[in-house]
Amino acid sequence: MRVLLVTYWELTHMGGIWTYIRQLADRLAVLGVEVDIMGTNGARNEVYVRNLNRSFSKNLVWPMLQAKLNPTDLPQFTADPLLAYYELNRYAFEMAAAYLGVEHYDVIHAQDPVAAVAMKRILKRNIPLVTSYHGALAREAFYDAQNSNPQMTLASYLQSKRGRYFLSLEQRSAAQSELILVSSHWIKSTLTELSVPESKFRQIPYAVDLPNYRKAATAKFPHRAPRGKKVIAFTGRLEYIKGVHVLIQALAILKRRRSDWICWIAGEGNLLDELRGQATEAGISSDIVFWGKLDNIPSFLTHADIYVQPSLQDTQPFSVTEAQLAGVPVIVSGTAGMPEMVEPGRTGWVVPPQDVDSLSELLYALLEDDVTRKKVGAAAKSWAEQHRSLEEMGLRTFHVYQEAIYRGGRST
């Protein structure tokens, strides 16, 4: 069997999604599957097949597309610059993928709705399409918009031109896919609201390469927390949807009551300077360390005492699973797929999304209670080791491919 894992997005800058792609490709190879990985390199403005060292520059078709899709001939198309940008890039992605070749695969496994729609538009024969939904595209776009317009509501955004555009991509990709992979009940529910048939879904939780995780965790992290300070940790992209600004607000409240903590934030993103400014304005800049991108998160987490995932929306972030495997008690926002990752009070805690007072109060209580922290952290580690097997994820995904091929009327 030959499989293409493909994403419209920047391939290696996607955090957990890149981890998923890389680990899945490794496991499928063990099962005898030939896997190619296609994505975008933003720095070079190209689409490339990573493992084959083949690429196509979007610059080659960009002038032609801009000439065809211009404001004079297509004023409605170009009226919204964001949507025009998406469409131009989607067309360029399709042309690049067609040039690189997608007709020789037994299954195409798209990692986002844009890639799924693009693949179906260029395929000349009936190759089964499996699509993973790692998030809800329209809702993520809403949070991006809410960052600059706090009064905006989800309902109003989804009814706007932009909201309808992103919803249409999700609907089209779901309709064109033989099968749909989701990691949580939540992401499944967002798609069933779009009238996607129940029979298309296959739920497979994300997993972690446990032997590699354990090996990485044995490496010594070159820094230690100041004496007498417990570490509150976060790892991930520094973007609005990840809610790091909510964590900083909660820490500012916490600092008024106790100072026996330090917050370590690992990751990079377009909000780094803004978050640093927020910490300075709140008077806690000396209590937060922004480490930037780290190559060894398991080693970093060995120094954590509490892990916080304050995302406004997140399906099932790898960062939570990594913290659980480190035996660190986790706090997650009660939104999207995150509550499905913990059993409140036993393997972690859930706080209302964007509720800085509740988060601050819980942090205060956990800093006070060493016994509960260690007990919950140990239970979380045991649960993650039992339920996040990469071997099982790879095998179940392979079976989904076989089912998709059968549904498509083809044989391996």
Side-chain angles (χ1 to χ4, degrees):
M1 184 188 296
R2 192 165 187 183
V3 175
L4 176 66
L5 304 180
V6 56
T7 179
Y8 166 82
W9 306 113
E10 184 95 5
L11 191 57
T12 58
H13 289 180
M14 296 188 301
I17 300 178
W18 169 237
T19 301
Y20 171 83
I21 292 173
R22 176 172 46 80
Q23 291 189 152
L24 177 60
D26 290 344
R27 285 310 307 171
L28 291 172
V30 172
L31 297 172
V33 179
E34 289 185 63
V35 181
D36 293 336
I37 301 173
M38 180 185 292
T40 299
N41 183 330
R44 297 184 178 181
N45 198 34
E46 66 181 17
V47 178
Y48 69 113
V49 183
R50 179 181 172 86
N51 54 302
L52 300 181
N53 196 28
R54 297 184 62 228
S55 63
F56 180 88
S57 175
K58 292 194 289 185
N59 294 331
L60 296 174
V61 296
W62 200 254
M64 180 270 291
L65 289 172
Q66 286 181 312
K68 292 286 187 182
L69 307 172
N70 62 77
T72 302
D73 296 335
L74 296 168
Q76 292 183 328
F77 178 88
T78 58
D80 187 316
L82 177 65
L83 301 189
Y85 175 81
Y86 260 89
E87 286 294 276
L88 281 166
N89 274 282
R90 182 168 66 85
Y91 285 129
F93 180 84
E94 289 175 1
M95 297 178 77
Y99 173 84
L100 293 169
V102 295
E103 300 293 333
H104 54 290
Y105 295 102
D106 298 296
V107 175
I108 293 178
H109 184 177
Q111 305 301 313
D112 58 84
V114 186
V117 170
M119 291 299 104
K120 273 299 184 180
R121 277 175 50 84
I122 64 174
L123 284 173
K124 297 177 181 177
R125 64 187 184 89
N126 186 30
I127 300 175
L129 175 68
V130 174
T131 301
S132 281
Y133 285 79
H134 299 289
L137 181 60
R139 287 165 171 79
E140 289 176 14
F142 157 69
Y143 285 112
D144 287 339
Q146 191 187 52
N147 185 24
S148 56
N149 182 6
Q151 305 306 315
M152 182 178 291
T153 65
L154 176 60
S156 64
Y157 183 82
L158 295 181
Q159 293 170 5
S160 69
K161 183 177 180 180
R162 289 186 179 184
R164 294 196 307 272
Y165 171 79
F166 291 119
L167 284 175
S168 72
L169 285 173
E170 292 179 316
Q171 289 173 316
R172 289 170 62 190
S173 59
Q176 293 170 343
S177 301
E178 267 71 37
L179 293 169
I180 295 169
L181 288 180
V182 294
S183 63
S184 70
H185 293 289
W186 170 78
I187 190 64
K188 177 181 174 182
S189 71
T190 67
L191 292 168
T192 53
E193 291 175 5
L194 302 177
S195 301
V196 180
E198 182 85 17
S199 60
K200 281 195 172 188
F201 292 101
R202 300 295 179 269
Q203 185 171 333
I204 304 176
Y206 296 140
V208 172
D209 187 330
L210 296 179
N212 280 346
Y213 181 95
R214 296 185 187 112
K215 181 179 179 181
T218 62
K220 185 178 180 180
F221 188 68
H223 303 278
R224 290 189 174 276
R227 185 178 298 274
K229 303 272 189 179
K230 295 182 177 66
V231 175
I232 300 168
F234 167 85
T235 68
R237 303 189 313 276
L238 303 184
E239 298 177 359
Y240 182 74
I241 199 169
K242 290 297 183 179
V244 181
H245 61 285
V246 176
L247 173 58
I248 293 175
Q249 291 172 26
L251 293 175
I253 297 171
L254 179 66
K255 184 62 183 288
R256 300 170 195 160
R257 304 176 66 188
R258 62 191 307 152
S259 58
D260 58 339
W261 56 270
I262 189 166
C263 181
W264 283 4
I265 295 175
E268 56 186 5
N270 56 20
L271 288 188
L272 175 58
D273 291 340
E274 184 176 323
L275 293 171
R276 280 179 169 156
Q278 180 187 355
T280 299
E281 187 174 340
I284 57 172
S285 59
S286 61
D287 302 292
I288 300 178
V289 180
F290 291 92
W291 291 105
K293 183 179 179 181
L294 297 178
D295 294 327
N296 191 331
I297 294 299
S299 173
F300 168 80
L301 288 170
T302 60
H303 294 277
D305 296 284
I306 303 169
Y307 182 84
V308 182
Q309 191 72 36
S311 304
L312 311 186
Q313 176 179 290
D314 234 329
T315 309
Q316 289 210 336
F318 275 100
S319 51
V320 172
T321 300
E322 289 179 323
Q324 291 172 322
L325 289 170
V328 181
V330 299
I331 302 171
V332 301
S333 296
T335 184
M338 291 179 289
E340 299 174 40
M341 302 184 75
V342 301
E343 183 180 337
R346 196 182 82 82
T347 61
W349 291 270
V350 180
V351 295
Q354 303 188 65
D355 188 334
V356 296
D357 291 322
S358 294
L359 177 55
S360 178
E361 191 64 37
L362 181 55
L363 287 170
Y364 180 91
L366 293 179
L367 289 169
E368 191 80 11
D369 191 344
D370 294 349
V371 173
T372 297
R373 282 200 326 274
K374 292 176 181 177
K375 179 181 177 181
V376 171
K381 180 177 182 178
S382 177
W383 181 88
E385 288 182 339
Q386 292 177 35
H387 294 90
R388 292 297 187 254
S389 163
L390 185 59
E391 290 79 4
E392 181 179 356
M393 186 189 84
L395 184 60
R396 290 178 64 187
T397 305
F398 176 70
H399 289 159
V400 169
Y401 295 162
Q402 291 179 315
E403 184 181 358
I405 291 172
Y406 177 78
R407 283 180 167 229
R410 305 175 72 244
S411 60
T412 53

